Amino acid sequence: MGAERQNSVKVFFSGVLLLSLSTVLVKIIGLIYKIPMLSYLGSEGMGYFNSAYEIYALFCVIATAGLPVALSVLISGAVANRNPSRVEQIYSVAFRIFLGIGLVGCGAMWLFARQFCKWIQSENAYGVILAIAPTFFFVCVSSAIRGYFQGFQRMLPTALSQLLESVGKLVFGLLFASLALNSGQPTESVAAAAGWGLSFGTALSTAYLIIAKRRSPITAKIPRGEVCKSREGEKTTRALLSLALPMTLGASLASVIKLIDMAMILRGLQSIGYTEALANEAYGSYTTLAISIFSLLPTLLNSISLPLVPILSAAIAAKDERRQQQMIETSYRLTAFFAIPASLGIACFSRQILSLVFLNQTESIEVASPLLSLLGISVFLSCMITATNSVLHSYKIVKRPILSLVAGAIVKLGVAYYLIGNPSIGLLGAPISSFCCNVTVVLMNFCFASHFSQSISIGKIFMFPLLNGTLSVGFVFLFHQWLSNRYTESNALTLICLGLAVLLYLLLSILSGSVGAEDLRTFLGKDRLSAHKNGLFKENEQKNDE
C-alpha cells in the first residue's frame, strides 16, 4: 500500500507538471494573440469580442464542467475494478450525450444571437456570436475524449490538444482579422473574423483528439464486442447525469454570474452617462487586460485539481483514508504555495505587469491597472474555489458547491448593482464585487469539505506562504519604488524585480520548511502510473488467454 500511495503522488505531480507546462504555453500564446488583436480591434472591438465570448462560455460550460469530470470519475472506477468493457460502454454513452449537446447548443447560439445582443445592449456583438457558435460543437466532442483519457490518468492528449487549439486560434484568428482589417471592414466585422479563427482552431484540436483516441494502445486493449452486448446503457446514462448535472448546474451558475456581471457593467456604465461604444471600450480594457492577467494563475492551477479528481476518486473507492488525506493536503498546499504570492504580486505590480505585457497601450493600461490591483486580491480565492470544488466532486458531493455559488452570486450581484451604478465608483465595483463573491464561496466550501480533511491543518498550510509572500513581495515592491524614484522606471527593471521576488520567496520557503527537496523531486519526477504498468487490463488478458 505504501508503494501505491507513493505512485499515486507521483502520478498526481506528473499530471500537474504536464498540464501546468501546457497551460503556461497556452496562456503565453493567448497573450501573444491578444496583444496584436488589441491593436487590430481596439478596446471597443475587444469589448464586442469578449461580450460574445461570455455568451459562448455560458453554453460551453455545459460541455466542459460536469460531464468530463463525471466521465473521468466513472472510467477511473471501472479501470480500478479492471473492467475494460465497462470503460468503453461508459465512453460510448457519454459521447452520444456530448454530441447531442453540441448540436443543440450550436443551433441555439445561431438562432438566438440577436436576442442575446439586445439583452446585453451590445448589438455589434451579433457577428461574433455567429462566428463562435461552431466552436461549441467542437468543444463538446473534445471534452468527451479528454474525459476518457483523464479517467486513465493520461494527461498528455489533453495538454497537446490545448496547445493545438491555442496555436490554431492564434494563427487563424490573426490571419482572418488582418484580412478583414486590410479590406476596410468595420470594427465589428473584424471582431467577427477573429471569432471564425477561434472556431477553426478548435476544429483542429478536435481532429487531433479523434485521431489520438483511435490510435491509443488503451483503445486497442478494450474488447469492443462486449460493449455491444451490454444492456446497461440507461444505468450508465443515469450515473453520468447524476454526477454531471449538479456540477454543470454549479459551473453554469458561475458562467451565468459572469454573463449577468457583463450585462450589469455595460448597462450600469451607460446609466451613468457612457455611450454604447465607450461602455464597450471600458469593458474591453477590463476583460482584455485586467481579466487576462487575473485569470492566468487560476487557469494554471486548474492543472493541480484536474489530476486530483480521478486519483482521489480511486482512493475513495479503495477506502484508503490515509491516501485521501495525503492527496487533499497536497492539492491545498500546492495551491497556496503558488497562489498566495502571485495574488500579492499582481495586487502590488498591476501597472508594471500590464505595461510589460501590453506595450504601447497606455490609455487601456491606465484604465485597467487599478482594476487589476483589486482583482489581484481575488487570485488566491479563485484558485481555492477550484481546489475545494475538486475535493467535493471527488466525494460525489455535487450539490453543496452549488449552494456556495448561489450565496456568492447573490452577494456579487448585490454589491455590483450598488457600486457600478454609483458615478464615483463605476467600473471599480466589478472587481470589488468579485472579491466579495469569492470570499463567500471559499468559506462555505471549506466548511463543506472540512468533514473529509479533519487531520489537515488548514492554517498551517496557508501560514507560511502568506508570511513568505508578504515579506518577499513587500520588500521587492519597496525596492522597486526606491529604484524607480532614483532611476528611470522600465520594463527591464520590472522583470528584474519580479525575478528577485520569486527567488526571495523560494529561499524563504526553503528556510521555513514550507517546501523541501523531496517536494521538488516529486514535482519534477518522471514516474507515471500507466494502465499497462499496473496491470489494469491483466485480468481481462488472462480471461482472453483462457
Side-chain angles (χ1 to χ4, degrees), residues 204-244:
L204 190 64
S205 172
T206 304
Y208 158 74
L209 283 169
I210 292 172
I211 295 171
K213 168 78 167 55
R214 289 182 177 178
R215 294 183 176 180
S216 171
I218 295 175
T219 306
K221 291 280 186 179
I222 294 176
R224 298 183 62 86
E226 295 184 22
V227 179
C228 300
K229 298 176 184 178
S230 176
R231 297 181 180 179
E232 297 185 351
E234 293 183 6
K235 181 180 178 181
T236 301
T237 302
R238 287 195 297 270
L240 275 169
L241 295 181
S242 65
L243 282 174

Side-chain angles (χ1 to χ4, degrees), residues 44-91:
E44 179 188 349
M46 291 303 296
Y48 300 139
F49 183 89
N50 290 332
S51 59
Y53 191 87
E54 288 297 339
I55 295 169
Y56 152 76
L58 175 60
F59 283 84
C60 188
V61 76
I62 299 172
T64 58
L67 276 170
V69 176
L71 178 58
S72 69
V73 168
L74 292 181
I75 287 180
S76 66
V79 169
N81 293 325
R82 297 176 181 176
N83 189 350
S85 61
R86 174 69 175 156
V87 169
E88 188 63 22
Q89 183 204 35
I90 292 169
Y91 172 74

Side-chain angles (χ1 to χ4, degrees), residues 341 344-346 348-349 352-353 467-485 489 492-508:
L344 295 170
I346 290 173
C348 292
F349 290 94
Q352 291 81 5
I353 292 172
L467 178 62
N468 296 334
T470 301
L471 290 174
S472 57
V473 174
F475 170 77
V476 171
F477 177 73
L478 294 175
F479 182 60
H480 179 272
Q481 293 292 100
W482 179 77
L483 288 177
S484 298
N485 292 332
E489 183 175 338
L493 178 61
T494 299
L495 282 172
I496 292 171
C497 287
L498 290 177
L500 178 61
V502 172
L503 291 176
L504 185 57
Y505 175 72
L506 290 175
L507 178 63
L508 291 174

